[in-house]
Amino acid sequence: MNYLQDPRVFFAAERTLLAWNRTVLGLMGFGFIVERFGLFLHVVLGRQTEPFHRGFSLWLGVALILLGTVLAVMSTLQYRRLVKDLSPQEIPPGYWVNMGVVTNLTLAVLGLMLAVYAALSY
């Protein structure tokens, strides 16, 4: 690990965690859009009399949402491992190092809820 005793090392790790956070949000948002695209096509093509089959867009969308959830958890674990190895001089006094962790884990829980909602709603 880095023994520079420089807080910039910690802030770089936190920026990396937040970059993963943005990636997670993008994947989950895109997954939700893909999941709803089947419904959009059904309405646009005017197939109100036919039964609505969700098919490929449902499973691809749910897979993207779950991928975002897994990445949120993995990036949080990686960040926590790195912060644990930093010296006290590399973390500014009084700085709450768990803000990004709480954000990512909240996104993971919301992602699971969104995946379940998408898979079960018709």
Side-chain angles (χ1 to χ4, degrees):
M1 200 79 264
N2 194 340
Y3 297 104
L4 296 175
Q5 298 181 349
D6 188 353
R8 290 181 293 182
V9 174
F10 166 69
F11 289 128
E14 190 172 57
R15 280 191 306 273
T16 302
L17 177 68
L18 294 175
W20 278 111
N21 189 316
R22 289 187 297 272
T23 303
V24 165
L25 282 170
L27 280 169
M28 288 181 180
F30 186 61
F32 183 75
I33 290 170
V34 167
E35 187 270 330
R36 293 296 166 173
F37 188 69
L39 175 63
F40 172 74
L41 283 179
H42 187 76
V43 171
V44 168
L45 296 175
R47 296 182 178 167
Q48 283 82 10
T49 58
E50 299 176 18
F52 176 53
H53 300 288
R54 300 181 69 182
F56 183 69
S57 68
L58 166 70
W59 298 114
L60 181 60
V62 169
L64 287 169
I65 293 168
L66 291 176
L67 176 62
T69 300
V70 169
L71 283 177
V73 172
M74 288 176 60
S75 64
T76 300
L77 293 174
Q78 180 176 326
Y79 171 78
R80 291 299 301 153
R81 249 184 267 128
L82 185 129
V83 169
K84 183 180 73 169
D85 289 341
L86 292 177
S87 68
Q89 292 82 11
E90 292 175 300
I91 300 173
Y95 192 85
W96 190 39
V97 299
N98 291 320
M99 180 90 66
V101 170
V102 169
T103 303
N104 265 16
L105 293 179
T106 302
L107 279 176
V109 169
L110 292 174
L112 282 175
M113 291 169 55
L114 182 61
V116 168
Y117 167 76
L120 297 180
S121 68
Y122 272 83

